[in-house]
Amino acid sequence: MIIINADDCGISKVVDDQIEHCIENRLITSTTIMANMADFDGAVRLYNQYSEDVSFGWHMNLTEGEPLLKSQLLLDKGYYVEEDGKVVLNGKPFWKKPLSKEMIVDIKKELKAQYEKIRDYGVKITHADSHEHIHTSWSLWPIMPGFMKDLGVTRCRRMRNYVPSMTSRIARNIWSLPFKMKGIKMVDTFCSYQEYVDNPNLSQGKIIELMCHPGSHEYNFEDEYELLKKQIILKDVKKISYHDL
């Protein structure tokens, strides 16, 4: 069984138009919304129109665009930066620096504001993942399982665990254990659409999430879209959404 999730819903009208096209042509089964980006209203429109067809989750964001809440502490520490007279998110330190208790408080406030904004617009959030996989960063890992449970998130994208190194694969599977202990469900394997095309045997006896990025030039969506259209590898595989997990 396979979930095909389109990331970055709400980031721009171009992306949302392509996500809508993919929904209408049954090329994806799920998408995740960014609360702080330019076409958030477009993402809500997609939910109102297509929530019966695909699952809609939360694409938590600490790496791009303006935060919903101010935090002088996070700005001073480099987790927010000033660009062109605006304060914007900067995810790089999450992969390099430890977090103080005070910083964790402000990060949780920002993420909670994103979650509640999506929910308050009437979206029934089925699951969570994150922009540039920030929820898998080592500095956030200790707080994420409990934080998600407190918010009521019951399903979450796992750390990418289709990797060549067996040692890395084991470590990435261990990463998921605290989430499962909190009752948060995950698929068995998470990888990109291209990786699945190259290794179709991944689907045997497993539930897999495939990530795609409609409308994104950064992720070479033109090539990815051609793979999505063909769906050759998916003919004998059941497609599900996060509603079904």
Side-chain angles (χ1 to χ4, degrees), residues 184-227:
I184 298 171
K185 296 180 181 179
M186 295 181 173
V187 299
D188 299 306
T189 302
F190 165 60
C191 61
S192 70
Y193 202 99
Q194 181 66 62
E195 285 171 330
Y196 182 81
V197 171
D198 295 337
N199 299 275
N201 290 332
L202 279 173
S203 63
Q204 295 180 358
K206 297 179 179 179
I207 301 176
I208 298 175
E209 180 187 353
L210 306 182
M211 168 183 63
C212 64
H213 297 84
S216 173
H217 294 292
E218 181 181 353
Y219 290 91
N220 297 317
F221 179 68
E222 291 83 359
D223 296 336
E224 194 175 56
Y225 179 63
E226 290 303 314
L227 295 174

Side-chain angles (χ1 to χ4, degrees), residues 43-58:
V44 173
R45 180 189 66 79
L46 293 181
Y47 173 81
N48 290 334
Q49 189 166 349
Y50 298 107
S51 60
E52 296 298 320
D53 302 310
V54 300
S55 54
F56 281 78
W58 168 36

Side-chain angles (χ1 to χ4, degrees), residues 57-81:
W58 168 36
H59 201 56
M60 66 180 75
N61 182 14
L62 293 170
T63 64
E64 186 174 355
E66 297 180 62
L68 296 182
L69 302 178
K70 295 179 180 179
S71 171
Q72 187 62 46
L73 175 62
L74 295 178
L75 180 61
D76 291 342
K77 295 294 185 179
Y79 291 82
Y80 295 173
V81 295

